[in-house]
Amino acid sequence: MTIGEVTAVASSALYLVIKVAAPVLLVSLCVGLIVSIFQTVTSIQEQTLTFVPKIIAVFLALIVLGNWMLTELSGFMVSLWSDFSVYTR
């Protein structure tokens, strides 16, 4: 296996990680921003207020997007294992 092939597999793996993690992270970011704006407007300075809405939003995002995420990850693993003979030469 050449350095180019290793680089290609690593870059596709990193791209997959970013693609799969981005929706959940964006949901968490948006909920955190909304709660922060709410805290600023109402002058509530409670630091732990952002945790519960973020946890609920991330949980809901995982419920909605979990099937797609697992399909993407398992498809990548199937493609890696199907090309295993190419990697061992």
Side-chain angles (χ1 to χ4, degrees), residues 39-56:
Q39 283 180 321
T40 303
V41 169
T42 59
S43 299
I44 298 173
Q45 297 301 321
E46 180 63 35
Q47 296 295 323
T48 59
L49 184 63
T50 60
F51 290 120
V52 174
K54 275 187 187 181
I55 289 172
I56 292 171

Side-chain angles (χ1 to χ4, degrees), residues 1-10 86-89:
M1 191 167 180
T2 64
I3 293 174
E5 292 171 335
V6 172
T7 305
V9 170
V86 174
Y87 303 139
T88 57
R89 60 179 165 107

Side-chain angles (χ1 to χ4, degrees), residues 57-69:
V58 167
F59 182 69
L60 290 175
L62 287 174
I63 288 173
V64 171
L65 298 171
N67 187 29
W68 170 76
M69 293 166 75

Side-chain angles (χ1 to χ4, degrees), residues 29-44 50:
L29 176 77
C30 291
V31 169
L33 182 66
I34 290 169
V35 170
S36 295
I37 291 171
F38 175 75
Q39 283 180 321
T40 303
V41 169
T42 59
S43 299
I44 298 173
T50 60

